[in-house]
Amino acid sequence: MAGEPAGSRECSRQASQWFAVMIDGLDVHVVRKPIRNMYLRIKPPEGRVEISAPVRMADAAIVSFVRSRRSWIDANRNAIRRQAQQAATTGAVEWNDDLRRAAAASINKALPALLARWEPIIGRSPTHITLRTMTSRWGSCTPKTGRIRLNLQLGLMDRRFLEYVLVHEMTHLWEHGHGAGFQRRMSAYLPDWRKLRRELNQHMVLR
């Protein structure tokens, strides 16, 4: 990668488009795909950092992206590692103060930009957004009051899932159910929303 510290290494980059690189002491695994946007994932149980990047994106842009998200990466790697340790010890994963703080900080940091993007597109704005620990849903909306509630666990996941759930709940400010009107709006806002929903629902909800 252009501009990254010494010690980066490539692994069959030409054949598989996959390589690992060290950025400021952080081991990052990158895969290039025919996609438009870059995605960041922190994979349990060891907190492995994975980046999916467009095939033609400059290496320097990937380095800059990782550096810009470093505080988020560190907080979530630590949280995921604690989850894994707890699961190995007790057989269950439960919320604790550190997890809640990390998740809330991540969501609160992302929300202003997401709302600035989606409020003009959707044409409605939530009156209030609350973060909650939920065990059976990713979000909820009360159209009459305009209040939206988001599952705190979204703060420990890839930002695209937070964006999907926020758009989903903001769409309920127009459409109360999940009928044809709701689906038409979601398809206009996020054409791949069904794929995002399937991926999101594969994740475990913390207790």
Side-chain angles (χ1 to χ4, degrees), residues 171 174-189:
T171 301
W174 287 106
E175 304 285 345
H176 291 202
H178 294 95
F182 174 87
Q183 295 180 43
R184 281 195 299 270
R185 288 183 181 274
M186 285 296 296
S187 295
Y189 303 149

Side-chain angles (χ1 to χ4, degrees), residues 111-196:
L111 278 177
L114 290 175
L115 290 170
R117 176 184 179 184
W118 286 105
E119 285 175 341
I121 295 173
I122 295 175
R124 292 282 177 91
S125 302
T127 58
H128 190 72
I129 295 179
T130 303
L131 308 182
R132 292 184 176 178
T133 53
M134 303 181 186
T135 60
S136 61
R137 61 179 63 186
W138 296 107
S140 65
C141 176
T142 305
K144 184 176 181 179
T145 63
R147 296 177 68 92
I148 285 174
R149 289 155 293 279
L150 299 175
N151 190 322
L152 199 57
Q153 188 178 345
L154 292 166
L156 304 176
M157 301 164 66
D158 192 288
R159 188 172 295 186
R160 65 199 174 109
F161 294 128
L162 171 62
E163 182 173 37
Y164 158 69
V165 174
L166 179 64
V167 171
H168 180 117
E169 300 309 333
M170 289 177 67
T171 301
H172 280 309
L173 297 174
W174 287 106
E175 304 285 345
H176 291 202
H178 294 95
F182 174 87
Q183 295 180 43
R184 281 195 299 270
R185 288 183 181 274
M186 285 296 296
S187 295
Y189 303 149
L190 289 172
D192 62 343
W193 69 275
R194 290 182 176 86
K195 178 176 180 290
L196 287 168

